[in-house]
């Protein structure tokens, strides 16, 4: 069981999570296929991964494919999987060069064998990355992650054990989400990181994901720093006591 393993320390910094939404609309508004939007979305992934370390981000979790996205037309699902595979295969050198450690969360048993191999390979090759922990959520459902962990957890174990099972990151420690961003004007969670986002600051933007720039990430992080996090407590002399 994962819980017996000792994960590496988290890369220091904020944990930012992004629901990368609006690819389909980006394509459609240009008279293109929705998949064109997904392809353009990969460029935005590159931009945020590159910008993140300088903005004080240690972990970046990106929602790439939800467990409910299997409901989409077959061609779109196939297109998305091909785009994701290409990213996992061809990005390795750049990730290693930039010190980015990539891991994937979500179910793997419904992915193709080739995709599973690509995931294992990129995780292994980037395992030494110290500048950013980039997590891609593929076939991910937060409810499923929580249900699966709950089924294995026994109540003589601590909630910390439960948390670890839900987060399901056996290789490297991952803190709760500090800042959750959703693009494209939608303001919902769509079953993403429900446990981990309990005290996340939320940031919504009308910008469609393929148009999301490093400046947008920077603006969101700036907004985050202007927020006063209370974690259920009260402000102490204008400054919050750290939790724990
Ligand atoms: C987000 O963009 C990417 C995935 C869900 C894979 P969408 O494909 O949901 O784009 P819209 O929301 O239909 O515009
Ligand atoms: C959430 O976006 C999933 C991803 C961004 C991968 P959706 O576009 O699938 O979510 P809903 O259907 O609008 O809630
Ligand atoms: Mg959408």
């Amino acid at each position: 069981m994962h819980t017996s393993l000792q994960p590496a320390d988290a890369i220091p910094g904020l944990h930012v999570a992004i629901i990368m939404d609006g690819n389909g609309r980006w394509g459609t508004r240009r008279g293109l296929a929705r998949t064109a939007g997904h392809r353009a979305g990969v460029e935005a992934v590159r931009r945020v991964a590159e910008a993140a370390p300088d903005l004080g981000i240690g972990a970046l979790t990106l929602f790439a494919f939800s467990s409910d996205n299997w409901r989409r037309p077959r061609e779109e699902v196939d297109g998305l999987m091909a785009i994701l595979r290409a990213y996992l295969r061809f990005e390795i050198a750049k990730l290693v060069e930039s010190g980015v450690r990539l891991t994937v969360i979500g179910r793997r048993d419904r992915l193709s064998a080739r995709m599973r191999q690509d995931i294992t390979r990129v995780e292994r090759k980037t395992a030494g990355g110290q500048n950013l922990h980039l997590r891609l959520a593929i076939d991910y459902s937060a409810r499923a992650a929580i249900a699966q962990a709950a089924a294995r957890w026994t109540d003589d174990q601590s909630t910390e054990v439960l948390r670890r099972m839900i987060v399901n990151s056996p290789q490297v420690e991952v803190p709760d989400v500090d800042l959750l961003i959703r693009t494209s004007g939608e303001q919902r969670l769509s079953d993403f990181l429900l446990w981990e986002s309990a005290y996340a600051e939320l940031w919504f933007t009308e910008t469609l994901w393929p148009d999301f720039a490093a400046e947008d990430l920077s603006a969101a992080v700036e907004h985050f720093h202007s927020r006063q996090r209370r974690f259920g407590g009260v402000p102490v002399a204008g400054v919050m006591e750290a939790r724990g």
Side-chain angles (χ1 to χ4, degrees):
M1 217 166 44
H2 291 153
T3 49
S4 60
L5 297 173
Q6 199 56 45
D9 286 345
I11 294 173
L14 299 175
H15 181 186
V16 174
I18 309 182
I19 302 173
M20 311 185 285
D21 201 11
N23 292 353
R25 277 164 282 172
W26 187 94
T28 309
R29 283 177 199 174
R30 282 171 171 69
L32 303 168
R34 291 175 55 84
T35 306
H38 296 313
R39 225 172 282 119
V42 175
E43 290 307 318
V45 169
R46 294 200 173 99
R47 289 195 290 272
V48 294
E50 205 172 296
D54 288 343
L55 294 170
I57 297 169
L60 181 62
T61 306
L62 304 178
F63 207 1
F65 189 89
S66 82
S67 294
D68 289 321
N69 289 148
W70 292 114
R71 294 184 185 159
R72 296 187 178 200
R74 176 76 192 266
E75 315 85 78
E76 183 171 347
V77 170
D78 288 351
L80 262 164
M81 289 298 162
I83 289 162
L84 284 169
R85 274 197 68 209
Y87 178 81
L88 295 172
R89 294 180 66 184
F90 298 119
E91 203 70 6
I92 293 180
K94 192 170 167 201
L95 294 169
V96 170
E97 191 192 328
S98 343
V100 178
R101 177 175 199 159
L102 191 149
T103 65
V104 173
I105 56 171
R107 279 178 70 163
R108 297 208 185 166
D109 59 302
R110 297 188 290 199
L111 303 177
S112 70
R114 291 183 309 179
M115 168 82 105
R116 283 200 296 272
Q117 280 167 13
D118 293 336
I119 292 173
T120 314
R121 184 152 171 270
V122 69
E123 287 186 333
R124 185 163 36 83
K125 297 235 177 198
T126 64
Q130 294 289 332
N131 292 337
L132 176 70
H133 181 191
L134 176 62
R135 304 199 311 152
L136 283 189
I138 302 176
D139 195 0
Y140 177 83
S141 152
R143 282 183 168 182
I146 293 168
Q148 200 186 27
R152 288 193 283 136
W153 186 70
T154 53
D155 61 8
D156 59 338
Q157 294 178 308
S158 65
T159 46
E160 174 56 19
V161 169
L162 179 61
R163 186 191 74 80
R164 285 216 167 150
M165 292 196 290
I166 292 167
V167 171
N168 197 15
S169 176
Q171 307 96 334
V172 46
E173 189 56 70
V174 177
D176 279 356
V177 174
D178 294 300
L179 169 64
L180 177 70
I181 298 170
R182 182 165 189 153
T183 58
S184 87
E186 309 298 346
Q187 303 194 1
R188 54 177 172 263
L189 297 175
S190 302
D191 201 12
F192 190 44
L193 301 175
L194 299 181
W195 178 285
E196 296 89 330
S197 299
Y199 276 98
E201 297 293 332
L202 308 178
W203 169 263
F204 300 106
T205 170
E206 295 290 329
T207 303
L208 302 177
W209 177 249
D211 293 327
F212 195 83
E215 292 72 34
D216 295 303
L217 183 62
S218 166
V221 169
E222 205 172 299
H223 164 85
F224 169 83
H225 286 301
S226 76
R227 307 304 305 155
Q228 185 186 58
R229 305 182 84 190
R230 294 192 276 273
F231 299 106
V234 290
V236 180
V239 178
M240 277 306 300
E241 296 284 290
R243 188 165 50 149

